[in-house]
């Protein structure tokens, strides 16, 4: 099996920064893509940022403020969040497309989420 474990959430004032991490473990041949999604109360889960090899994609609402990166040796994806706004408050989930073997199809896994709260 594959597990994703997020860390780094918390409470921060508007304008502050947080860095989220997500480490994948288990039977892994390759991981692509990796990414971050978020869900605020009453809202649908939305894509925040994804990274496929070295190619990145961001939601318009976070462009210029958030940066997604990965460490392939550690099977870890990061989300550096700067200039945080109250509207960034949500549970942030890590997602990864994993091939467990070279001949396997890609399966998508999710972490349990980490709370990010931005106070005004």
């Amino acid at each position: 099996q594959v597990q994703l474990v997020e860390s780094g959430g918390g409470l921060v004032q508007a304008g502050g920064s947080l860095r989220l991490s997500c480490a994948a473990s288990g039977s892994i041949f390759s991981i692509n893509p990796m990414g971050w999604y978020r869900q605020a109360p009453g809202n649908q889960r939305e894509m925040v940022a994804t990274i496929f090899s070295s190619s990145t994609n961001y939601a318009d609402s976070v462009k210029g403020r958030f940066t997604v990166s990965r460490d392939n040796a550690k099977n870890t994806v990061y989300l550096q969040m700067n200039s945080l706004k109250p509207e960034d408050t949500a549970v942030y989930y890590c997602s990864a497309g994993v091939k467990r073997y070279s001949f396997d199809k890609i399966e998508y896994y999710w972490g349990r989420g980490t709370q990010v709260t931005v106070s005004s």
Side-chain angles (χ1 to χ4, degrees):
Q1 271 293 0
V2 175
Q3 288 188 325
L4 302 180
V5 179
E6 302 106 332
S7 61
L11 173 64
V12 65
Q13 288 188 333
S17 298
L18 284 174
R19 188 190 194 211
L20 306 183
S21 300
C22 171
S25 62
S27 178
I28 297 171
F29 173 77
S30 65
I31 306 179
N32 246 332
M34 302 187 82
W36 293 93
Y37 294 73
R38 68 186 181 187
Q39 187 167 18
N43 290 357
Q44 290 187 332
R45 190 173 298 188
E46 62 175 357
M47 187 275 292
V48 176
T50 60
I51 182 166
F52 189 99
S53 295
S54 59
S55 177
T56 58
N57 186 40
Y58 295 94
D60 288 343
S61 59
V62 307
K63 281 181 181 176
R65 300 188 298 123
F66 291 10
T67 302
V68 63
S69 61
R70 62 190 292 175
D71 184 332
N72 293 327
K74 297 180 179 180
N75 287 333
T76 298
V77 63
Y78 305 97
L79 185 67
Q80 178 66 43
M81 305 185 292
N82 298 329
S83 301
L84 282 160
K85 304 175 181 180
E87 51 263 44
D88 295 318
T89 295
V91 177
Y92 283 70
Y93 297 91
C94 171
S95 175
V98 177
K99 292 181 72 173
R100 298 177 64 189
Y101 310 99
S102 61
F103 51 83
D104 205 4
K105 65 182 186 301
I106 295 175
E107 292 189 37
Y108 287 86
Y109 294 86
W110 293 88
R112 292 187 174 184
T114 184
Q115 178 70 44
V116 171
T117 303
V118 184
S119 63
S120 57

